[in-house]
Amino acid sequence: MRIVQVDLTPEEYHSDDALRRKAGAHEGEQARVVRRTLDCRRRNIVYHCTVEVVKGAEGLSSISSISRLSRVSSSARAVVIVGAGPAGLFAALRCLQQGLRPVIVDRGKPVEERKYDIARLTREKVVDPDSNWCFGEGGAGTYSDGKLYTRSTKRGDVGEVLRLFVDHGADPDIMLDAHAHIGTDRLSGIIANMRRTIVEHGGEYHFGVRVEDLLVKEGRVRGVVAADGTKYEGDAVILATGHSARDIYELFHRRGWLLEAKPFALGVRVEHPQALINEIQYHGKGYSPLLPAAAYSLTTQACGHGVFSFCMCPGGVIVPAATAGGQQVVNGMSNSRRNSPYANSGIAVTVGLGDVGGADALALLRFQQAVEGRVFEAAGGCIDAPAQRLVDFLRRRPSSRLNKSGYMGATVGAPLHEVLPPFVVESLIQGFKDFDRKMRGFVTDEAMLLAVESRTSSPVRIPRDRETLQHPQLAGLYPCGEGAGYAGGIVSSALDGIRCADAVSLRR
Ligand SMILES: Cc1cc2nc3c(=O)[nH]c(=O)nc-3n(C[C@H](O)[C@H](O)[C@H](O)COP(=O)(O)OP(=O)(O)OC[C@H]3O[C@@H](n4cnc5c(N)ncnc54)[C@H](O)[C@@H]3O)c2cc1C
């Protein structure tokens, strides 16, 4: 076998003959792309590809991660995992590899039932605080774009995470792309398959269990207490409740357990026609129809704040991501084909303690809550999305008309330049002007802003020891994933779940 680097046009990429020719494959040899990155910085758009050339049809056989699991016995050390999002699920899969018995509890429902609550939320505009776009099996990652890009490659084996997704039904192509995504239409099936693996190998699931307290015995955390008083006991607890589990932060605050404020980011979601983003990114209208819906990634500094695009969804839709009444929150998702006519992205401004005039651990959470409440009121007290055309926002004037939108609900005109905090507005205005310099045409009549993009990451950190990963005051408790402040996104949360399971297995 030999490895070669080749550049392929979109047409060559989709032609076996062109691939073989460019990779220099001789008769009897196969050529296979094992890594690809789309480079559209210049007019001649190419895929930079790493290609394996092998004799015959053998190729590299990948080692399935599932084959490394064996069934754990009912007497194995039990680990209570709170939260069935990416952090909790990958912690559970790793527990099984380590011979530990995962007991997963989640406040929400299995993914098959959760979808009815999500449909009802959109139809009736009522948020179920235990089953919504963020809570329920698969966590916030289930109804997402399923982007699998992470910068935290030093935190673990990203390939292992991707292999586990493929083992459970994801397209094997996710192993090739530098910026792979799965799509919400595929994710629910994958999450259900992971549940089957976990149960078949001796793990347990308990849905509809909202954890309200920790069970502390002789100075160690030995389990959790649910809202109905039921106790779930184990040798350790991995707490992976995500960035929206505000009741968990309140529990720590009430009990006097250590918490820290953590800088986060807040802003709006901007929506453009996808065709327009394609034209900007692919240098005009004449781009190849074989190219995927174009993405972008933008970042700048404005008014002393970082301003950046966040969770950009090509060919996606915008969803109401509130987790309780009285809040308005938006986020983005797309299906595997990314074929909606809209491109949307969060545009977020960094927020630190200095911006909110508070010093306690929950100061940034309170700020986040207050903004979500104000935006909810601006929508007329419901989860309709307050919206303003980008050009009007830049001129600080209300929109006399709104654009069509891919929001899963109604949009309602609102002066976001008055609703959002002044430093966020100023930073966004400067940021958008800079983005228009970097991507000519980004500021256009056709762009619209929807509010508020506030669940970018957790505004609170649950501290843990760097070595043992346990909470400094609560032996046996492993704060994990995005909600504890150690991850941001599906892959990094999954990696953190794996790390926490490894840390539990090391502690006897
Ligand atoms: C609409 C949307 C789109 C997104 N798109 C992407 C994307 O394309 N790519 C990407 O990398 N990231 C994306 N994200 C972010 C990503 O989903 C999160 O980073 C990731 O899910 C965090 O994983 P987690 O396991 O730490 O927490 P979560 O996924 O938030 O899971 C937490 C789980 O804990 C449960 N829980 C909460 N409180 C309790 C309690 N008290 N008792 C019991 N259970 C509880 C919840 O029901 C939930 O299942 C998106 C998020 C949203 C909302």
Side-chain angles (χ1 to χ4, degrees):
M1 182 189 69
R2 52 187 196 281
I3 302 278
V4 290
Q5 307 291 336
V6 295
D7 286 351
L8 300 169
T9 65
E11 285 69 25
E12 287 170 338
Y13 183 84
H14 288 91
S15 150
D16 273 354
D17 286 348
L19 171 63
R20 288 175 49 76
R21 193 177 65 253
K22 282 233 163 155
H26 303 299
E27 211 170 312
E29 287 182 329
Q30 304 285 325
R32 184 172 77 159
V33 175
V34 291
R35 193 85 186 141
R36 69 178 174 206
T37 312
L38 181 63
D39 184 351
C40 54
R41 286 173 298 176
R42 293 188 197 82
R43 279 189 176 276
N44 57 332
I45 295 170
V46 289
Y47 285 98
H48 298 305
C49 297
T50 305
V51 182
E52 263 178 18
V53 182
V54 289
K55 276 225 165 68
E58 61 223 39
L60 271 189
S61 57
S62 69
I63 302 158
S64 165
S65 308
I66 298 179
S67 66
R68 288 196 277 128
L69 290 183
S70 48
R71 203 184 147 77
V72 294
S73 78
S74 55
S75 60
R77 277 173 72 199
V79 180
V80 177
I81 298 175
V82 190
L89 290 179
F90 280 78
L93 289 163
R94 184 57 145 222
C95 279
L96 292 169
Q97 285 176 351
Q98 300 283 18
L100 303 168
R101 186 164 59 84
V103 177
I104 300 177
V105 296
D106 196 288
R107 69 198 297 161
K109 297 184 185 169
V111 73
E112 299 85 352
E113 292 171 41
R114 185 180 169 193
K115 67 173 184 238
Y116 295 111
D117 293 331
I118 302 250
R120 202 159 57 84
L121 188 157
T122 314
R123 207 175 47 243
E124 297 170 17
K125 304 183 186 180
V126 179
V127 182
D128 177 337
D130 291 315
S131 182
N132 47 57
W133 291 90
C134 293
F135 293 161
E137 189 178 19
T142 308
Y143 301 99
S144 75
D145 181 46
K147 278 179 283 296
L148 299 176
Y149 176 67
T150 181
R151 287 193 201 90
S152 40
T153 44
K154 289 189 186 137
R155 292 196 198 156
D157 182 357
V158 175
E160 167 83 3
V161 171
L162 299 183
R163 268 193 305 280
L164 277 164
F165 274 120
V166 172
D167 284 346
H168 290 93
D171 186 334
D173 273 8
I174 64 168
M175 306 289 294
L176 313 183
D177 270 320
H179 290 92
H181 86 115
I182 294 182
T184 189
D185 48 328
R186 302 261 172 89
L187 275 159
S188 23
I190 293 169
I191 300 293
N193 288 341
M194 286 185 176
R195 185 199 326 137
R196 279 175 212 116
T197 297
I198 290 168
V199 172
E200 276 164 18
H201 289 84
E204 273 174 40
Y205 273 81
H206 302 272
F207 289 108
V209 175
R210 190 190 329 120
V211 168
E212 289 199 340
D213 209 349
L214 300 178
L215 194 61
V216 186
K217 288 185 187 168
E218 292 152 11
R220 293 198 66 82
V221 176
R222 294 286 184 195
V224 295
V225 186
D228 67 359
T230 309
K231 296 182 173 107
Y232 296 85
E233 299 196 34
D235 207 34
V237 172
I238 295 179
L239 188 68
T241 43
H243 60 25
S244 292
R246 290 175 173 168
D247 37 9
I248 292 292
Y249 302 133
E250 297 291 353
L251 166 69
F252 274 65
H253 188 59
R254 226 175 27 250
R255 293 265 186 223
W257 297 327
L258 274 180
L259 281 179
E260 294 164 5
K262 183 185 139 297
F264 76 116
L266 179 144
V268 290
R269 196 150 271 263
V270 62
E271 186 173 54
H272 291 84
Q274 181 62 52
L276 181 85
I277 297 298
N278 290 351
E279 280 172 33
I280 299 175
Q281 297 298 73
Y282 296 153
H283 314 284
K285 288 187 193 296
Y287 56 87
S288 165
L290 295 174
L291 284 169
Y296 60 82
S297 169
L298 292 164
T299 168
T300 190
Q301 286 290 320
C303 313
H305 293 268
V307 183
F308 58 96
S309 59
F310 169 80
C311 185
M312 194 266 149
C313 295
V317 294
I318 301 180
V319 303
T323 46
Q327 314 166 346
Q328 168 58 17
V329 181
V330 288
N331 213 312
M333 70 168 195
S334 41
N335 64 26
S336 50
R337 294 173 62 205
R338 286 182 164 168
N339 58 357
S340 106
Y342 301 102
N344 69 68
S345 176
I347 303 291
V349 175
T350 53
V351 183
L353 270 179
D355 300 309
V356 304
D360 72 287
L362 297 189
L364 289 165
L365 175 70
R366 302 276 181 247
F367 169 82
Q368 185 193 41
Q369 281 173 311
V371 177
E372 290 173 4
R374 242 187 353 260
V375 176
F376 181 79
E377 293 308 323
C382 71
I383 58 157
D384 290 347
Q388 186 174 19
R389 289 161 69 234
L390 173 56
V391 286
D392 295 326
F393 180 78
L394 295 182
R395 289 184 197 135
R396 299 168 201 266
R397 65 179 189 202
S399 291
S400 53
R401 65 174 176 85
L402 295 180
N403 300 339
K404 279 193 180 161
S405 169
Y407 179 62
M408 295 189 75
T411 52
V412 44
L416 299 182
H417 59 283
E418 289 173 7
V419 176
L420 296 172
F423 77 89
V424 173
V425 172
E426 291 305 325
S427 306
L428 284 174
I429 288 177
Q430 296 311 318
F432 277 123
K433 287 181 181 167
D434 189 48
F435 292 166
D436 193 51
R437 283 189 283 273
K438 290 174 170 155
M439 261 180 83
R440 285 277 171 216
F442 193 85
V443 173
T444 156
D445 273 353
E446 294 177 87
M448 191 159 76
L449 308 182
L450 283 75
V452 57
E453 181 84 26
S454 51
R455 307 281 174 99
T456 51
S457 69
S458 173
V460 180
R461 174 172 285 117
I462 307 181
R464 69 186 187 193
D465 179 81
R466 289 168 74 95
E467 296 297 318
T468 69
L469 306 191
Q470 294 173 76
H471 188 274
Q473 296 165 319
L474 297 162
L477 181 79
Y478 295 76
C480 177
E482 186 156 24
Y486 299 99
I490 295 170
V491 173
S492 63
S493 301
L495 287 173
D496 201 51
I498 292 172
R499 279 190 76 197
C500 286
D502 284 345
V504 174
S505 87
L506 284 175
R507 189 189 63 79
R508 283 273 135 209

